[in-house]
Amino acid sequence: MDEPEFEELYRDTSQRLRTYLYRVCGERRLVEDLVQEAYYRFLRSGFSGETREHAARYLFRIATNLLKDHWSDLKRSPELPVEEPPERPSHHDSPQERIDVHAALGALGGRDREMLWLAYAEGYSHDEIAGILGLKEKSVRVLLFRAKNRMLRVLKELS
């Protein structure tokens, strides 16, 4: 991939990747570090996919793996400060108040947020999500179904 192709790929994918990571982890500084590292690893990999969307899915996979590595490091290293997950949404007294989808996503686990964001915000198929998350397609179907049900329960709590 030459420099102009990479610049075009970056313009097409960087905001999507940042949004995905932020919705999954909720930490802006971490997101910037992960995005930078994902593009660095992408370039080092010598990726030669067939389409730009194939490259985008590969970037999402790299970023997802970096985030999982970060979370694993936090669990193993007691000297590192433990980051709090996004706050659980509080109940609203007034039915006129809007449901905060970001807060609802924050009430879910990281895997659920990944699955829901990739499926509904990015529009990826089960097969594409499986490739990004390193799962089997049949597992994605089950996990996504469960994630949707958990999201529905959270949304009911908020309404």
Side-chain angles (χ1 to χ4, degrees), residues 115 126 129-130 135-144:
M115 302 285 279
H126 292 169
I129 294 170
L135 301 169
K136 294 181 179 175
E137 184 179 354
K138 289 182 181 182
S139 297
V140 169
R141 291 172 195 245
V142 172
L143 292 171
L144 186 56

Side-chain angles (χ1 to χ4, degrees), residues 16-17 20-21 34 37-39 41-42 47 53-69 111 114 118 124 127-136:
R16 289 172 50 201
L17 192 60
Y20 162 68
L21 288 169
L34 293 175
E37 183 67 19
Y39 282 103
R41 289 187 184 193
F42 176 83
F47 178 82
E53 189 52 40
H54 187 208
R57 287 193 308 270
Y58 187 60
L59 274 165
F60 273 78
R61 180 158 191 177
I62 292 170
T64 299
N65 288 337
L66 288 168
L67 183 58
K68 287 178 184 178
D69 290 347
R111 172 58 57 93
E114 290 170 349
L118 291 172
Y124 285 129
D127 184 48
E128 292 167 332
I129 294 170
I132 291 168
L133 299 179
L135 301 169
K136 294 181 179 175

Side-chain angles (χ1 to χ4, degrees), residues 23-144:
R23 294 299 184 207
V24 173
C25 77
E27 299 175 49
R28 291 192 193 282
R29 282 189 304 203
L30 176 59
V31 166
E32 290 306 316
D33 291 344
L34 293 175
V35 167
Q36 183 177 16
E37 183 67 19
Y39 282 103
Y40 174 71
R41 289 187 184 193
F42 176 83
L43 286 172
R44 280 192 28 203
S45 73
F47 178 82
S48 60
E50 299 171 8
T51 66
R52 183 167 325 235
E53 189 52 40
H54 187 208
R57 287 193 308 270
Y58 187 60
L59 274 165
F60 273 78
R61 180 158 191 177
I62 292 170
T64 299
N65 288 337
L66 288 168
L67 183 58
K68 287 178 184 178
D69 290 347
H70 172 76
W71 285 337
S72 294
D73 290 345
L74 286 177
K75 288 179 184 175
R76 285 193 300 258
S77 301
E79 67 275 0
L80 291 175
V82 177
E83 300 166 10
E84 294 296 319
E87 289 184 20
R88 184 167 177 86
S90 61
H91 292 293
H92 296 289
D93 295 328
S94 169
Q96 290 80 20
E97 291 186 51
R98 293 181 47 193
I99 294 175
D100 184 350
V101 175
H102 178 66
L105 281 170
L108 301 174
R111 172 58 57 93
D112 288 348
R113 291 190 303 266
E114 290 170 349
M115 302 285 279
L116 292 169
W117 192 265
L118 291 172
Y120 298 107
E122 290 298 323
Y124 285 129
S125 69
H126 292 169
D127 184 48
E128 292 167 332
I129 294 170
I132 291 168
L133 299 179
L135 301 169
K136 294 181 179 175
E137 184 179 354
K138 289 182 181 182
S139 297
V140 169
R141 291 172 195 245
V142 172
L143 292 171
L144 186 56

